[in-house]
Short mmCIF file of all heavy atoms in Angstrom, two decimals:
data_model
loop_
_atom_site.label_atom_id
_atom_site.label_comp_id
_atom_site.label_asym_id
_atom_site.label_seq_id
_atom_site.Cartn_x
_atom_site.Cartn_y
_atom_site.Cartn_z
N ARG V 98 83.04 115.61 119.79
CA ARG V 98 83.04 116.62 120.88
C ARG V 98 84.15 117.64 120.63
O ARG V 98 83.95 118.85 120.79
CB ARG V 98 83.25 115.95 122.24
CG ARG V 98 81.94 115.47 122.87
CD ARG V 98 82.12 115.15 124.36
NE ARG V 98 83.09 114.10 124.61
CZ ARG V 98 82.81 112.79 124.53
NH1 ARG V 98 81.59 112.39 124.25
NH2 ARG V 98 83.75 111.89 124.77
N LEU V 99 85.34 117.18 120.21
CA LEU V 99 86.45 118.13 119.93
C LEU V 99 86.08 119.08 118.79
O LEU V 99 86.58 120.20 118.72
CB LEU V 99 87.71 117.35 119.51
CG LEU V 99 88.47 116.55 120.57
CD1 LEU V 99 89.64 115.81 119.95
CD2 LEU V 99 88.98 117.48 121.68
N MET V 100 85.22 118.60 117.89
CA MET V 100 84.85 119.40 116.72
C MET V 100 83.60 120.24 116.95
O MET V 100 83.14 120.92 116.04
CB MET V 100 84.58 118.45 115.53
CG MET V 100 85.78 117.66 115.03
SD MET V 100 87.00 118.75 114.29
CE MET V 100 86.18 119.16 112.75
N ASN V 101 83.08 120.18 118.17
CA ASN V 101 81.87 120.91 118.51
C ASN V 101 82.03 122.40 118.20
O ASN V 101 82.98 123.04 118.68
CB ASN V 101 81.57 120.71 119.99
CG ASN V 101 80.09 120.79 120.29
OD1 ASN V 101 79.30 121.06 119.37
ND2 ASN V 101 79.73 120.58 121.53
N GLY V 102 81.13 122.97 117.41
CA GLY V 102 81.17 124.41 117.11
C GLY V 102 82.18 124.79 116.02
O GLY V 102 82.27 125.95 115.65
N ILE V 103 82.94 123.83 115.52
CA ILE V 103 83.93 124.13 114.47
C ILE V 103 83.28 123.95 113.11
O ILE V 103 82.72 122.88 112.80
CB ILE V 103 85.17 123.20 114.61
CG1 ILE V 103 85.88 123.48 115.93
CG2 ILE V 103 86.12 123.38 113.43
CD1 ILE V 103 87.10 122.61 116.22
N THR V 104 83.33 125.01 112.27
CA THR V 104 82.65 124.92 110.98
C THR V 104 83.52 124.28 109.90
O THR V 104 83.02 123.64 108.99
CB THR V 104 82.17 126.31 110.49
OG1 THR V 104 83.27 127.19 110.62
CG2 THR V 104 80.98 126.81 111.28
N ASN V 105 84.86 124.47 110.02
CA ASN V 105 85.74 123.80 109.04
C ASN V 105 85.86 122.32 109.41
O ASN V 105 86.59 121.96 110.32
CB ASN V 105 87.12 124.48 109.05
CG ASN V 105 88.12 123.73 108.16
OD1 ASN V 105 87.75 122.81 107.43
ND2 ASN V 105 89.37 124.13 108.23
N ARG V 106 85.13 121.47 108.66
CA ARG V 106 85.10 120.04 108.99
C ARG V 106 86.00 119.21 108.07
O ARG V 106 85.94 118.00 108.05
CB ARG V 106 83.66 119.49 108.91
CG ARG V 106 82.58 120.39 109.44
CD ARG V 106 82.07 120.19 110.79
NE ARG V 106 81.91 118.94 111.41
CZ ARG V 106 81.79 118.81 112.75
NH1 ARG V 106 81.87 119.86 113.54
NH2 ARG V 106 81.62 117.62 113.31
N ASN V 107 86.84 119.92 107.28
CA ASN V 107 87.69 119.20 106.31
C ASN V 107 88.68 118.25 107.01
O ASN V 107 89.27 118.61 108.02
CB ASN V 107 88.51 120.19 105.45
CG ASN V 107 87.60 121.01 104.57
OD1 ASN V 107 86.47 120.61 104.29
ND2 ASN V 107 88.08 122.17 104.14
N ALA V 108 88.83 117.09 106.39
CA ALA V 108 89.74 116.08 106.96
C ALA V 108 90.19 115.16 105.83
O ALA V 108 89.63 115.21 104.74
CB ALA V 108 89.01 115.27 108.02
N GLU V 109 91.21 114.35 106.11
CA GLU V 109 91.56 113.33 105.14
C GLU V 109 92.07 112.07 105.83
O GLU V 109 92.66 112.15 106.91
CB GLU V 109 92.58 113.84 104.10
CG GLU V 109 93.93 114.20 104.66
CD GLU V 109 94.84 114.82 103.59
OE1 GLU V 109 94.38 115.64 102.78
OE2 GLU V 109 96.05 114.50 103.61
N PHE V 110 91.80 110.95 105.18
CA PHE V 110 92.39 109.69 105.59
C PHE V 110 93.63 109.48 104.74
O PHE V 110 93.62 109.71 103.54
CB PHE V 110 91.43 108.52 105.32
CG PHE V 110 90.58 108.12 106.48
CD1 PHE V 110 89.18 108.18 106.39
CD2 PHE V 110 91.16 107.67 107.66
CE1 PHE V 110 88.39 107.78 107.46
CE2 PHE V 110 90.37 107.28 108.73
CZ PHE V 110 88.98 107.34 108.63
N ARG V 111 94.70 108.99 105.37
CA ARG V 111 95.91 108.63 104.63
C ARG V 111 96.24 107.17 104.90
O ARG V 111 96.10 106.72 106.05
CB ARG V 111 97.10 109.47 105.06
CG ARG V 111 96.95 110.92 104.67
CD ARG V 111 98.21 111.71 105.05
NE ARG V 111 97.86 113.11 105.16
CZ ARG V 111 98.52 114.01 105.87
NH1 ARG V 111 99.60 113.63 106.57
NH2 ARG V 111 98.13 115.26 105.91
N SER V 112 96.67 106.50 103.85
CA SER V 112 97.08 105.11 103.97
C SER V 112 98.48 104.95 103.40
O SER V 112 98.78 105.50 102.34
CB SER V 112 96.10 104.24 103.16
OG SER V 112 96.65 102.97 102.90
N ILE V 113 99.33 104.26 104.13
CA ILE V 113 100.68 103.97 103.65
C ILE V 113 100.88 102.47 103.67
O ILE V 113 100.64 101.81 104.69
CB ILE V 113 101.80 104.58 104.56
CG1 ILE V 113 101.49 106.01 104.95
CG2 ILE V 113 103.15 104.44 103.93
CD1 ILE V 113 101.76 107.03 103.91
N ILE V 114 101.32 101.95 102.54
CA ILE V 114 101.63 100.53 102.44
C ILE V 114 103.13 100.36 102.27
O ILE V 114 103.73 101.07 101.47
CB ILE V 114 100.90 99.90 101.22
CG1 ILE V 114 99.41 99.79 101.48
CG2 ILE V 114 101.51 98.53 100.87
CD1 ILE V 114 98.63 99.26 100.31
N ALA V 115 103.70 99.42 103.01
CA ALA V 115 105.10 99.01 102.72
C ALA V 115 105.01 97.58 102.23
O ALA V 115 104.57 96.68 102.97
CB ALA V 115 105.97 99.12 103.96
N LEU V 116 105.40 97.39 100.97
CA LEU V 116 105.40 96.06 100.36
C LEU V 116 106.81 95.50 100.37
O LEU V 116 107.74 96.17 99.91
CB LEU V 116 104.91 96.20 98.91
CG LEU V 116 105.09 94.96 98.00
CD1 LEU V 116 104.13 93.84 98.38
CD2 LEU V 116 104.89 95.35 96.53
N CYS V 117 106.94 94.30 100.89
CA CYS V 117 108.24 93.63 100.82
C CYS V 117 108.11 92.53 99.79
O CYS V 117 107.44 91.52 100.05
CB CYS V 117 108.62 93.09 102.21
SG CYS V 117 110.29 92.47 102.17
N PHE V 118 108.66 92.76 98.62
CA PHE V 118 108.42 91.90 97.47
C PHE V 118 109.74 91.52 96.83
O PHE V 118 110.52 92.39 96.43
CB PHE V 118 107.55 92.69 96.48
CG PHE V 118 107.14 91.94 95.25
CD1 PHE V 118 106.22 90.91 95.31
CD2 PHE V 118 107.68 92.29 94.02
CE1 PHE V 118 105.84 90.23 94.18
CE2 PHE V 118 107.29 91.61 92.88
CZ PHE V 118 106.37 90.58 92.95
N ARG V 119 109.99 90.22 96.80
CA ARG V 119 111.24 89.71 96.23
C ARG V 119 112.47 90.43 96.82
O ARG V 119 113.38 90.86 96.08
CB ARG V 119 111.21 89.81 94.72
CG ARG V 119 110.07 88.96 94.17
CD ARG V 119 109.99 88.91 92.71
NE ARG V 119 108.79 88.12 92.35
CZ ARG V 119 108.40 87.89 91.10
NH1 ARG V 119 109.09 88.36 90.09
NH2 ARG V 119 107.33 87.20 90.86
N GLY V 120 112.39 90.66 98.10
CA GLY V 120 113.55 91.20 98.81
C GLY V 120 113.69 92.72 98.81
O GLY V 120 114.59 93.24 99.46
N ILE V 121 112.82 93.44 98.08
CA ILE V 121 112.93 94.88 98.16
C ILE V 121 111.67 95.46 98.86
O ILE V 121 110.61 94.85 98.84
CB ILE V 121 113.09 95.56 96.78
CG1 ILE V 121 111.94 95.19 95.85
CG2 ILE V 121 114.44 95.25 96.15
CD1 ILE V 121 111.72 96.20 94.75
N ILE V 122 111.84 96.65 99.44
CA ILE V 122 110.70 97.28 100.10
C ILE V 122 110.26 98.49 99.29
O ILE V 122 111.09 99.34 98.91
CB ILE V 122 111.05 97.69 101.54
CG1 ILE V 122 111.32 96.44 102.39
CG2 ILE V 122 109.91 98.50 102.17
CD1 ILE V 122 111.69 96.70 103.83
N LYS V 123 108.98 98.53 99.00
CA LYS V 123 108.45 99.65 98.19
C LYS V 123 107.23 100.23 98.91
O LYS V 123 106.44 99.50 99.49
CB LYS V 123 108.06 99.06 96.81
CG LYS V 123 107.57 100.03 95.82
CD LYS V 123 108.49 100.15 94.60
CE LYS V 123 107.89 101.09 93.58
NZ LYS V 123 108.25 102.47 93.73
#
Side-chain angles (χ1 to χ4, degrees):
R98 274 195 299 277
L99 289 177
M100 295 293 287
N101 209 357
I103 296 178
T104 49
N105 174 8
R106 320 261 325 161
N107 294 338
E109 64 186 40
F110 266 120
R111 292 183 202 156
S112 162
I113 314 282
I114 287 177
L116 168 72
C117 187
F118 182 71
R119 299 184 183 179
I121 57 156
I122 295 180
K123 183 116 176 90

